Amino acid sequence: MASKNAWKLSEVVTLVVLSVALGVLWWGWTFFTALLTPLNAIGLNYLFVGVWFTGGTLVPFLIRKPGAALLGEVLAAIVEGFVTQWGITAAIWGLAQGLGAELIFALYRYRRYDLTVLMLAGALSGVLSWILDFFYSNYFGLQAWVWIVQVVSVIISGALLGGLLAWLIGRGIVKTGVMQGTIEQDE
Amino acid sequence: MSGTLAYLSPFGHLLVVFTYLMPVLLSFDPVTPVVFLILNLLTLFGLGHVRLRRFLRIMGPLLIFPIGLFVLNLLFTDTSGHGDQFIRVAWLTLNEYALHRALVIALRALSLISISIGYLLVTGPLELVSAMMQQVGLPPRLGFSIFVGWNAIPRFKENLSRIRTVHRIRLRGQSRTFRDLVPTAVTLLADAIRHAQRAAVSMAVRGIEEAEHRTYLRALPWRVRDWIYLAGNLAVVAGLFAWLIGSGLFVFGLG
Amino acid sequence: MNERESLVELHDLSVIYPGAAAPAVSGVNLSVRRGGRLLLLGPSGCGKSTLLFVMAGIIPDVVPATLRGQMVTGGARIGVVLQNPEAQMIAPTVEEEIAFGLENHGVPPVEMEQRITGVLSRFGLEAYRHWSPSRLSGGEAQKVALAAAVALEPELLFLDEPTAFLDPVATRDFFSALSTLSPDTSLVIVEHKLEYVLPVVDRYVRLSRDGSITAEGNPAELSRTYWYDAVLDLVQFHRPASGSPQGVPSVEAAATRQFEKQEPVLRCRDVRHVYAGGKTALDGMDLDVREGECVVIMGSNGSGKSTFLDKISAVLPVQSHTILLRNADVGKLKPAALYETLLAVPQNPEHMFLTEKVEAELDLSTPDRDDLDRIASDFGIAGLLERNPYTLSEGEKRRLTVASAVLDGRHLLLFDEPTYGLDAEAVATLVEIVRDLSSQGATLLIVTHSPELAFLVADRILMLERGRIVFSGTPADLASEGEIDPAFLPVWERASGSTQGRTATVPRRTKGSK
């Protein structure tokens, strides 16, 4: 592998610790969404899940290496899983979500990390996550209109809360200068 | 790990738990999830010596998920083509097909959740990571980074709570949950990144990069007994699975 | 390498960080000989940590930077202790923490066990062997970090301001542990608390702000009160003699401050706090604070200082006591009312930041542009308006947070350890800011470990012990109580003497008024 792609020690540590911190941050969001569980019934709960895809969008935005999306999302999901006691299932969902994001970044050859790419990554994370839910919670038997509401919601949420939000936070972090020496600041 | 499992590798146990999960994930009947749920509980209480009360205390709040799924599927299942049989339960008239589906789905969820919780009750991530470094070749950089992250969780939690307090005081109690989201995240994560960079220096100066052949203070080798545990479990799971299929109780279904 | 054996040599070394305009270190010639104990001194930003990092091999391998000149090293075994305790705790338990470096170097387990037991008992850490490092206090963690470095049996030990975030007790403890070092371990240490470090070193080098060496020699030439003298000199130097800009008091003014006749703005009665685990943090404290008073609260870790502040700012709930803020019960006030004039300045200034530009931070506090410019200039941050708040120095960040508070009309300010991690210049500036606030009628409660801050700004000092007030008096009272090291008495007298010139309370500056 070209040395450009080799992971430096500081990048590995930063990726892991950043993902853990993100997992802790998600924990706060969990309380908020818990209040909205009634919306589960009509599929609108999916409007708020995008925040949980940010491991696959924010982390690679800051650490632009192949695998960052997958690892970031899985690690953050595991932390979230431990803190909220969902356990291993959280890791499996994280894997699906991370894979979705990773695919998008791979599609752009790990060269583009702008808003559009992040939103696409968030959206695909959402779709894959929904597919997993489809089997795990057996949506097959549900009425078709519920599926449509769910998929549209998860795509919107993934793009906005998973992509746009990650982009805003990521740029905020870059402007603080903590990433100096690791990525270029645009404009 | 706790109980008798203390003599075994946490990684081996992880593999075992995965073998309990697989049949349940592939099933769509009310029996399979329950069978493996019981098997898991036997391991948990029998070998892991986990106390029932503790298990219930943690499972309690999570029951909302299978219950939610039960209701969702009971009410919104597409019953066209199956709409003729009904069952009377108390004062309710329920479509039998929908009821069956809802039950199966709820049991599946219950089983999956409790199996994965079971793992957490028996061991922790630190032991698992240590085992993986020594048994499966997890790179020490990654393993120790995970330790750093884990140790930092209390710090991040406390930071988050302090940041929120400071914002509340600064804004005189005005709630700005959504507008605050980005600044809060930036503050917390920028601190996390700096923490990581310092930790990387600390790890580097103690030679983590030169570690060609690393020794371990607490050796955790994969032992014969781990193979036995794994093989034994595989046999039990395979046997149960075969019986379930053979007796027609197992129904394949992904969705 | 000559026969007197240098462990590390720097020849005309310069270091430039990526994106920096000027070198952090310029043209430095330095060598560390075997058995030598070198002290690096200088103001913040002078490059002393950079030098240490280069010698320890951290730059450029882990921290990227461009080097010019030469560094020659004989490949000696090194150990490093950094400033931040938590960032050095990377293992699940204390014993594994100490084992970490040994494991990386392939030391056999039996020998590891011996070395670990050895350093644990040497530094009095046996009880912590199986603890998770996240449970350790800052002082304990730094000792573990030292133990971990020493267990490697280094020939050369590097310490980068190891006590920067430790209180005086933990600092003393750390240095007494350091003094057990064997004489053939060489040392390079960056530190400014000379009263502790002088016995440990045999040579010093001082750097100036542009990163070059301005002095070197025998540390015996330096005074134990080095740090305090530095702060005092800077405070005196910055204070204008007369004709000062609005609001800044003249030191020469005659009247001393009178508080007895005024109505207390803060009344605390029998303040208690018991934590969920049963531990008592506050055991019945009574306090009256008058408008415009500056009260400094001191005491060892765990004495309840920060808890007390949290009670006043209603961060911690009421537990059978009363705190009255202008005769309104703090426990019953709504946030908008309670925080009308009260602000708890956080220990980490970054927690206050809500925007991406200094100017925007200030703008959040007031829409009045004139006020903003005036306060920015008073606090010396006018030149920083376009910068991102996170890119400021520690001292500048703190000034920004206080400036936003002042602009917002807050004049009851609580400070929790405002001097941690600050250099002498930043502490001096903080002192001046506090004095200015005080003379403008702000009421201040400051929790600190820093005696220099206390002596320079306090109208009253409270000493806490186990949740109770054990001393309450003026700085002069404290100096004469006799509990202070006689070598430092002249410093305290100089410091507390200089507080006597402050003017009486001037009308409080309210939002929108002049």
Side-chain angles (χ1 to χ4, degrees), chain C residues 248-295:
Chain C
V248 176
S250 162
V251 179
E252 269 65 59
T256 48
R257 293 152 71 75
Q258 302 283 342
F259 291 108
E260 294 79 31
K261 305 243 169 44
Q262 293 173 15
E263 194 50 31
V265 64
L266 191 65
R267 243 195 259 260
C268 307
R269 289 285 170 273
D270 196 36
V271 179
R272 290 174 187 281
H273 189 78
V274 180
Y275 281 113
K279 189 173 144 243
T280 306
L282 296 174
D283 199 13
M285 286 175 55
D286 293 322
L287 180 64
D288 279 350
V289 181
R290 322 274 164 186
E291 185 98 56
E293 207 181 346
C294 177
V295 177

Short mmCIF file of all heavy atoms in Angstrom, two decimals, chain C residues 248-295:
data_model
loop_
_atom_site.label_atom_id
_atom_site.label_comp_id
_atom_site.label_asym_id
_atom_site.label_seq_id
_atom_site.Cartn_x
_atom_site.Cartn_y
_atom_site.Cartn_z
N VAL C 248 -9.66 51.89 35.28
CA VAL C 248 -8.49 51.23 35.85
C VAL C 248 -7.98 52.04 37.04
O VAL C 248 -7.65 53.20 36.90
CB VAL C 248 -7.38 51.12 34.78
CG1 VAL C 248 -6.13 50.52 35.40
CG2 VAL C 248 -7.87 50.26 33.62
N PRO C 249 -7.94 51.42 38.19
CA PRO C 249 -7.60 52.21 39.38
C PRO C 249 -6.11 52.46 39.49
O PRO C 249 -5.30 51.70 38.98
CB PRO C 249 -8.06 51.30 40.52
CG PRO C 249 -7.88 49.93 39.98
CD PRO C 249 -8.16 50.02 38.49
N SER C 250 -5.78 53.47 40.18
CA SER C 250 -4.38 53.76 40.41
C SER C 250 -3.93 53.09 41.71
O SER C 250 -4.64 53.10 42.69
CB SER C 250 -4.18 55.27 40.53
OG SER C 250 -2.97 55.54 41.15
N VAL C 251 -2.77 52.49 41.65
CA VAL C 251 -2.29 51.80 42.84
C VAL C 251 -2.02 52.77 43.97
O VAL C 251 -2.08 52.44 45.14
CB VAL C 251 -1.00 51.02 42.51
CG1 VAL C 251 -0.47 50.31 43.73
CG2 VAL C 251 -1.27 50.03 41.39
N GLU C 252 -1.71 53.98 43.58
CA GLU C 252 -1.31 54.95 44.60
C GLU C 252 -2.47 55.56 45.37
O GLU C 252 -2.27 56.29 46.31
CB GLU C 252 -0.50 56.09 43.96
CG GLU C 252 1.02 55.81 43.94
CD GLU C 252 1.39 54.64 43.07
OE1 GLU C 252 1.08 54.70 41.87
OE2 GLU C 252 1.97 53.67 43.58
N ALA C 253 -3.70 55.27 44.94
CA ALA C 253 -4.84 55.91 45.60
C ALA C 253 -4.90 55.54 47.07
O ALA C 253 -4.51 54.45 47.46
CB ALA C 253 -6.14 55.51 44.90
N ALA C 254 -5.38 56.42 47.86
CA ALA C 254 -5.22 56.28 49.29
C ALA C 254 -6.24 55.40 49.97
O ALA C 254 -5.91 54.57 50.81
CB ALA C 254 -5.22 57.67 49.94
N ALA C 255 -7.48 55.58 49.68
CA ALA C 255 -8.53 54.94 50.47
C ALA C 255 -8.49 53.42 50.35
O ALA C 255 -8.32 52.87 49.29
CB ALA C 255 -9.89 55.45 50.02
N THR C 256 -8.66 52.76 51.44
CA THR C 256 -8.79 51.30 51.39
C THR C 256 -10.27 50.96 51.33
O THR C 256 -11.12 51.82 51.54
CB THR C 256 -8.18 50.64 52.65
OG1 THR C 256 -8.68 51.34 53.79
CG2 THR C 256 -6.68 50.73 52.62
N ARG C 257 -10.55 49.72 51.06
CA ARG C 257 -11.94 49.37 50.80
C ARG C 257 -12.69 49.08 52.08
O ARG C 257 -12.22 48.40 52.96
CB ARG C 257 -11.96 48.16 49.86
CG ARG C 257 -11.42 48.54 48.50
CD ARG C 257 -10.81 47.38 47.79
NE ARG C 257 -11.76 46.40 47.33
CZ ARG C 257 -12.57 46.56 46.28
NH1 ARG C 257 -12.57 47.69 45.61
NH2 ARG C 257 -13.41 45.61 45.93
N GLN C 258 -13.88 49.63 52.14
CA GLN C 258 -14.71 49.45 53.31
C GLN C 258 -15.91 48.60 52.98
O GLN C 258 -16.62 48.88 52.04
CB GLN C 258 -15.22 50.81 53.79
CG GLN C 258 -14.12 51.80 54.11
CD GLN C 258 -13.47 51.50 55.46
OE1 GLN C 258 -14.06 50.79 56.26
NE2 GLN C 258 -12.27 52.02 55.67
N PHE C 259 -16.12 47.54 53.74
CA PHE C 259 -17.25 46.69 53.38
C PHE C 259 -18.28 46.51 54.50
O PHE C 259 -19.38 46.08 54.26
CB PHE C 259 -16.76 45.30 52.95
CG PHE C 259 -16.04 45.34 51.65
CD1 PHE C 259 -14.67 45.16 51.57
CD2 PHE C 259 -16.73 45.57 50.47
CE1 PHE C 259 -14.01 45.21 50.38
CE2 PHE C 259 -16.07 45.62 49.25
CZ PHE C 259 -14.69 45.44 49.21
N GLU C 260 -17.85 46.78 55.72
CA GLU C 260 -18.71 46.37 56.83
C GLU C 260 -20.12 46.93 56.76
O GLU C 260 -21.07 46.27 57.14
CB GLU C 260 -18.10 46.80 58.17
CG GLU C 260 -16.81 46.10 58.53
CD GLU C 260 -15.62 46.69 57.80
OE1 GLU C 260 -15.66 47.92 57.51
OE2 GLU C 260 -14.69 45.95 57.49
N LYS C 261 -20.25 48.18 56.27
CA LYS C 261 -21.57 48.80 56.37
C LYS C 261 -22.52 48.41 55.25
O LYS C 261 -23.69 48.76 55.27
CB LYS C 261 -21.43 50.33 56.38
CG LYS C 261 -20.51 50.83 57.46
CD LYS C 261 -21.25 51.70 58.46
CE LYS C 261 -20.42 52.01 59.71
NZ LYS C 261 -19.03 52.38 59.46
N GLN C 262 -22.03 47.72 54.27
CA GLN C 262 -22.92 47.44 53.14
C GLN C 262 -23.75 46.19 53.35
O GLN C 262 -23.40 45.29 54.09
CB GLN C 262 -22.10 47.27 51.86
CG GLN C 262 -21.43 48.55 51.42
CD GLN C 262 -20.50 48.30 50.26
OE1 GLN C 262 -20.57 47.26 49.63
NE2 GLN C 262 -19.64 49.26 49.99
N GLU C 263 -24.87 46.18 52.66
CA GLU C 263 -25.79 45.05 52.69
C GLU C 263 -25.17 43.88 51.92
O GLU C 263 -24.70 44.07 50.82
CB GLU C 263 -27.07 45.51 52.00
CG GLU C 263 -28.29 44.66 52.18
CD GLU C 263 -28.62 44.29 53.62
OE1 GLU C 263 -28.32 45.09 54.54
OE2 GLU C 263 -29.14 43.21 53.84
N PRO C 264 -25.18 42.69 52.46
CA PRO C 264 -24.56 41.59 51.72
C PRO C 264 -25.37 41.23 50.47
O PRO C 264 -26.58 41.20 50.51
CB PRO C 264 -24.61 40.41 52.70
CG PRO C 264 -25.20 40.89 53.94
CD PRO C 264 -25.73 42.26 53.76
N VAL C 265 -24.65 40.99 49.38
CA VAL C 265 -25.35 40.62 48.16
C VAL C 265 -25.59 39.10 48.15
O VAL C 265 -26.53 38.60 47.56
CB VAL C 265 -24.54 41.08 46.92
CG1 VAL C 265 -23.21 40.33 46.88
CG2 VAL C 265 -25.30 40.87 45.65
N LEU C 266 -24.70 38.41 48.88
CA LEU C 266 -24.82 36.95 48.92
C LEU C 266 -24.79 36.52 50.38
O LEU C 266 -23.91 36.88 51.13
CB LEU C 266 -23.64 36.34 48.17
CG LEU C 266 -23.66 34.85 47.87
CD1 LEU C 266 -24.79 34.55 46.91
CD2 LEU C 266 -22.34 34.44 47.26
N ARG C 267 -25.80 35.76 50.75
CA ARG C 267 -25.87 35.29 52.14
C ARG C 267 -26.00 33.78 52.13
O ARG C 267 -26.96 33.25 51.60
CB ARG C 267 -27.12 35.86 52.79
CG ARG C 267 -26.88 36.78 53.94
CD ARG C 267 -28.20 36.94 54.68
NE ARG C 267 -28.82 38.20 54.33
CZ ARG C 267 -28.76 39.28 55.10
NH1 ARG C 267 -28.11 39.25 56.23
NH2 ARG C 267 -29.36 40.38 54.73
N CYS C 268 -25.03 33.12 52.72
CA CYS C 268 -25.09 31.65 52.77
C CYS C 268 -25.21 31.21 54.21
O CYS C 268 -24.45 31.65 55.07
CB CYS C 268 -23.81 31.05 52.19
SG CYS C 268 -23.43 31.67 50.56
N ARG C 269 -26.16 30.35 54.46
CA ARG C 269 -26.37 29.88 55.82
C ARG C 269 -26.34 28.37 55.87
O ARG C 269 -27.14 27.71 55.22
CB ARG C 269 -27.74 30.35 56.35
CG ARG C 269 -27.81 31.81 56.62
CD ARG C 269 -27.08 32.19 57.89
NE ARG C 269 -26.98 33.64 57.98
CZ ARG C 269 -26.00 34.36 57.44
NH1 ARG C 269 -25.05 33.78 56.76
NH2 ARG C 269 -25.98 35.68 57.57
N ASP C 270 -25.41 27.87 56.65
CA ASP C 270 -25.37 26.43 56.91
C ASP C 270 -25.40 25.59 55.63
O ASP C 270 -26.18 24.66 55.50
CB ASP C 270 -26.57 26.04 57.79
CG ASP C 270 -26.39 24.66 58.42
OD1 ASP C 270 -25.24 24.32 58.76
OD2 ASP C 270 -27.38 23.91 58.52
N VAL C 271 -24.53 25.94 54.72
CA VAL C 271 -24.52 25.23 53.44
C VAL C 271 -23.93 23.84 53.61
O VAL C 271 -22.85 23.66 54.16
CB VAL C 271 -23.67 26.02 52.41
CG1 VAL C 271 -23.64 25.29 51.08
CG2 VAL C 271 -24.24 27.41 52.24
N ARG C 272 -24.69 22.88 53.15
CA ARG C 272 -24.24 21.49 53.26
C ARG C 272 -24.35 20.80 51.92
O ARG C 272 -25.20 21.12 51.12
CB ARG C 272 -25.14 20.71 54.22
CG ARG C 272 -24.97 21.11 55.63
CD ARG C 272 -25.95 20.46 56.58
NE ARG C 272 -25.73 21.10 57.88
CZ ARG C 272 -24.72 20.78 58.68
NH1 ARG C 272 -23.90 19.81 58.34
NH2 ARG C 272 -24.53 21.43 59.81
N HIS C 273 -23.51 19.82 51.75
CA HIS C 273 -23.73 18.94 50.60
C HIS C 273 -23.20 17.57 50.89
O HIS C 273 -22.05 17.42 51.28
CB HIS C 273 -23.09 19.50 49.33
CG HIS C 273 -23.49 18.74 48.11
ND1 HIS C 273 -24.71 18.91 47.50
CD2 HIS C 273 -22.86 17.76 47.42
CE1 HIS C 273 -24.80 18.09 46.47
NE2 HIS C 273 -23.69 17.38 46.40
N VAL C 274 -24.04 16.59 50.66
CA VAL C 274 -23.62 15.21 50.81
C VAL C 274 -23.82 14.53 49.46
O VAL C 274 -24.89 14.59 48.88
CB VAL C 274 -24.49 14.47 51.87
CG1 VAL C 274 -24.02 13.04 51.99
CG2 VAL C 274 -24.40 15.17 53.20
N TYR C 275 -22.76 13.92 48.97
CA TYR C 275 -22.87 13.25 47.67
C TYR C 275 -23.66 11.96 47.79
O TYR C 275 -23.84 11.41 48.87
CB TYR C 275 -21.47 12.96 47.10
CG TYR C 275 -20.85 14.16 46.48
CD1 TYR C 275 -19.72 14.76 47.02
CD2 TYR C 275 -21.39 14.74 45.33
CE1 TYR C 275 -19.16 15.88 46.46
CE2 TYR C 275 -20.83 15.85 44.76
CZ TYR C 275 -19.72 16.43 45.33
OH TYR C 275 -19.16 17.54 44.77
N ALA C 276 -24.08 11.45 46.61
CA ALA C 276 -24.91 10.25 46.59
C ALA C 276 -24.26 9.09 47.34
O ALA C 276 -24.92 8.30 47.97
CB ALA C 276 -25.20 9.86 45.15
N GLY C 277 -22.94 8.99 47.26
CA GLY C 277 -22.27 7.87 47.94
C GLY C 277 -22.16 8.04 49.44
O GLY C 277 -21.61 7.20 50.14
N GLY C 278 -22.64 9.18 49.96
CA GLY C 278 -22.58 9.38 51.40
C GLY C 278 -21.45 10.29 51.85
O GLY C 278 -21.35 10.66 53.00
N LYS C 279 -20.63 10.67 50.91
CA LYS C 279 -19.49 11.49 51.31
C LYS C 279 -19.93 12.93 51.53
O LYS C 279 -20.65 13.51 50.71
CB LYS C 279 -18.44 11.44 50.19
CG LYS C 279 -17.15 12.07 50.58
CD LYS C 279 -16.11 11.82 49.49
CE LYS C 279 -15.22 13.03 49.38
NZ LYS C 279 -15.17 13.78 48.24
N THR C 280 -19.50 13.51 52.63
CA THR C 280 -19.87 14.90 52.92
C THR C 280 -18.86 15.83 52.28
O THR C 280 -17.67 15.76 52.59
CB THR C 280 -19.85 15.15 54.45
OG1 THR C 280 -20.69 14.18 55.05
CG2 THR C 280 -20.37 16.54 54.76
N ALA C 281 -19.35 16.71 51.42
CA ALA C 281 -18.44 17.65 50.79
C ALA C 281 -18.44 18.98 51.54
O ALA C 281 -17.42 19.62 51.70
CB ALA C 281 -18.84 17.86 49.34
N LEU C 282 -19.63 19.40 51.97
CA LEU C 282 -19.74 20.65 52.69
C LEU C 282 -20.46 20.40 54.00
O LEU C 282 -21.52 19.78 54.02
CB LEU C 282 -20.53 21.68 51.86
CG LEU C 282 -19.86 22.10 50.56
CD1 LEU C 282 -20.79 22.99 49.75
CD2 LEU C 282 -18.56 22.82 50.82
N ASP C 283 -19.87 20.93 55.07
CA ASP C 283 -20.35 20.56 56.39
C ASP C 283 -20.85 21.74 57.18
O ASP C 283 -20.52 21.91 58.35
CB ASP C 283 -19.19 19.87 57.13
CG ASP C 283 -19.69 19.05 58.28
OD1 ASP C 283 -20.91 18.81 58.37
OD2 ASP C 283 -18.84 18.68 59.12
N GLY C 284 -21.63 22.59 56.58
CA GLY C 284 -22.16 23.71 57.35
C GLY C 284 -21.28 24.95 57.21
O GLY C 284 -20.45 25.23 58.04
N MET C 285 -21.49 25.69 56.14
CA MET C 285 -20.69 26.89 55.93
C MET C 285 -21.58 28.11 55.99
O MET C 285 -22.68 28.11 55.43
CB MET C 285 -20.01 26.84 54.57
CG MET C 285 -18.85 25.87 54.53
SD MET C 285 -18.18 25.74 52.87
CE MET C 285 -17.84 27.43 52.51
N ASP C 286 -21.10 29.13 56.64
CA ASP C 286 -21.82 30.40 56.66
C ASP C 286 -20.94 31.46 56.02
O ASP C 286 -19.75 31.53 56.31
CB ASP C 286 -22.11 30.84 58.11
CG ASP C 286 -23.08 29.89 58.77
OD1 ASP C 286 -24.02 29.43 58.09
OD2 ASP C 286 -22.90 29.61 59.97
N LEU C 287 -21.54 32.25 55.18
CA LEU C 287 -20.74 33.28 54.52
C LEU C 287 -21.61 34.43 54.09
O LEU C 287 -22.72 34.24 53.59
CB LEU C 287 -20.08 32.66 53.28
CG LEU C 287 -19.19 33.58 52.44
CD1 LEU C 287 -17.99 34.02 53.25
CD2 LEU C 287 -18.73 32.86 51.19
N ASP C 288 -21.13 35.63 54.31
CA ASP C 288 -21.78 36.82 53.78
C ASP C 288 -20.79 37.50 52.85
O ASP C 288 -19.63 37.69 53.21
CB ASP C 288 -22.11 37.81 54.90
CG ASP C 288 -23.39 37.43 55.61
OD1 ASP C 288 -24.10 36.53 55.12
OD2 ASP C 288 -23.67 38.03 56.66
N VAL C 289 -21.23 37.83 51.68
CA VAL C 289 -20.36 38.53 50.73
C VAL C 289 -21.01 39.86 50.37
O VAL C 289 -22.18 39.91 50.00
CB VAL C 289 -20.15 37.70 49.45
CG1 VAL C 289 -19.22 38.44 48.50
CG2 VAL C 289 -19.57 36.34 49.78
N ARG C 290 -20.24 40.93 50.52
CA ARG C 290 -20.79 42.26 50.22
C ARG C 290 -20.58 42.59 48.75
O ARG C 290 -19.70 42.06 48.10
CB ARG C 290 -20.08 43.33 51.05
CG ARG C 290 -19.75 42.93 52.44
CD ARG C 290 -20.87 43.17 53.40
NE ARG C 290 -20.64 42.43 54.63
CZ ARG C 290 -21.51 42.35 55.61
NH1 ARG C 290 -22.65 42.98 55.53
NH2 ARG C 290 -21.23 41.65 56.68
N GLU C 291 -21.38 43.52 48.32
CA GLU C 291 -21.27 44.00 46.94
C GLU C 291 -19.86 44.54 46.69
O GLU C 291 -19.35 45.32 47.47
CB GLU C 291 -22.27 45.15 46.76
CG GLU C 291 -22.35 45.68 45.36
CD GLU C 291 -23.53 45.07 44.65
OE1 GLU C 291 -24.65 45.22 45.17
OE2 GLU C 291 -23.33 44.46 43.59
N GLY C 292 -19.25 44.10 45.62
CA GLY C 292 -17.94 44.63 45.28
C GLY C 292 -16.78 43.96 45.98
O GLY C 292 -15.63 44.31 45.77
N GLU C 293 -17.08 42.96 46.80
CA GLU C 293 -16.00 42.31 47.53
C GLU C 293 -15.36 41.23 46.66
O GLU C 293 -16.01 40.63 45.81
CB GLU C 293 -16.58 41.65 48.79
CG GLU C 293 -15.59 41.52 49.90
CD GLU C 293 -16.20 40.84 51.13
OE1 GLU C 293 -17.43 40.73 51.20
OE2 GLU C 293 -15.43 40.43 52.00
N CYS C 294 -14.08 40.99 46.89
CA CYS C 294 -13.39 39.91 46.19
C CYS C 294 -12.98 38.88 47.23
O CYS C 294 -12.07 39.13 48.02
CB CYS C 294 -12.18 40.44 45.44
SG CYS C 294 -11.24 39.15 44.64
N VAL C 295 -13.64 37.76 47.22
CA VAL C 295 -13.36 36.72 48.20
C VAL C 295 -12.63 35.56 47.53
O VAL C 295 -13.09 35.02 46.53
CB VAL C 295 -14.67 36.17 48.82
CG1 VAL C 295 -14.38 35.04 49.79
CG2 VAL C 295 -15.44 37.30 49.50
#
